[in-house]
Amino acid sequence: MMLVGGSDAVRCKLLMSTLAGTTMDWFINLPDGHVTSFLQLTKLFRAQYIANWAPPSVSYDLFDIRQYQGESLKEFLHRFGAQVVRLNLKDEKMMVHAFRKGIVPDPSASHSSETILRPSPK
């Protein structure tokens, strides 16, 4: 929403109408008379919540995704695929490499044909 014009009081009330939950609690608990302008309110809001913003994901974040102990390969593939979609990646070799690095080898696999991870051909 973009508001052009209007007094600081109107802008503060409009901002308040968009808040819910813990952000509304934060707003309500501001000391009376503490906020004197909309600019001050926006600075307070940013200072309070800027740390909660997640930095944008980058392609190498894919290498941080690891299969959890006890997580099925299907569940891991679902989580990994969701991150690939979020990142909008096109480099298939990188995706395969990151996927392979994230898989926990199956300790119950007695033979290499029983695991998805096989050594690279020499």
Side-chain angles (χ1 to χ4, degrees), residues 3 5-12 38:
L3 177 66
S7 69
D8 277 3
V10 169
R11 289 181 180 188
C12 290
F38 182 70

Side-chain angles (χ1 to χ4, degrees), residues 5 7 9 22-23 35 60 62 66-67 70 82 85 101 110 115 117 121:
S7 69
T22 56
T23 53
V35 177
Y60 56 80
L62 210 53
R66 299 277 191 253
Q67 184 178 15
V85 169
K101 281 189 74 72
S110 58
T115 180
L117 297 176

Side-chain angles (χ1 to χ4, degrees), residues 6-121:
S7 69
D8 277 3
V10 169
R11 289 181 180 188
C12 290
K13 287 188 185 275
L14 283 173
L15 176 65
M16 187 183 93
S17 71
T18 66
L19 304 178
T22 56
T23 53
M24 178 59 92
D25 293 340
W26 167 82
F27 183 82
I28 290 170
N29 288 313
L30 288 172
D32 288 342
H34 184 70
V35 177
T36 58
S37 70
F38 182 70
L39 180 62
Q40 182 190 14
L41 178 60
T42 57
K43 285 180 181 179
L44 288 169
F45 185 84
R46 285 183 183 142
Q48 177 72 21
Y49 292 102
I50 193 88
N52 294 332
W53 292 354
S57 296
V58 290
S59 60
Y60 56 80
D61 287 342
L62 210 53
F63 287 90
D64 293 335
I65 301 173
R66 299 277 191 253
Q67 184 178 15
Y68 300 127
Q69 198 65 34
E71 182 180 34
S72 72
L73 186 59
K74 183 177 181 178
E75 292 166 336
F76 172 66
L77 181 58
H78 179 74
R79 273 192 319 110
F80 186 88
Q83 184 67 15
V84 167
V85 169
R86 271 192 295 279
L87 292 171
N88 194 25
L89 295 177
K90 305 290 186 236
D91 186 349
E92 189 173 318
K93 282 186 177 186
M94 186 194 65
M95 286 185 272
V96 170
H97 186 67
F99 181 78
R100 290 188 70 188
K101 281 189 74 72
I103 294 175
V104 174
D106 184 0
S108 66
S110 58
H111 190 271
S112 64
S113 65
E114 295 177 20
T115 180
I116 191 168
L117 297 176
R118 293 193 183 134
S120 301

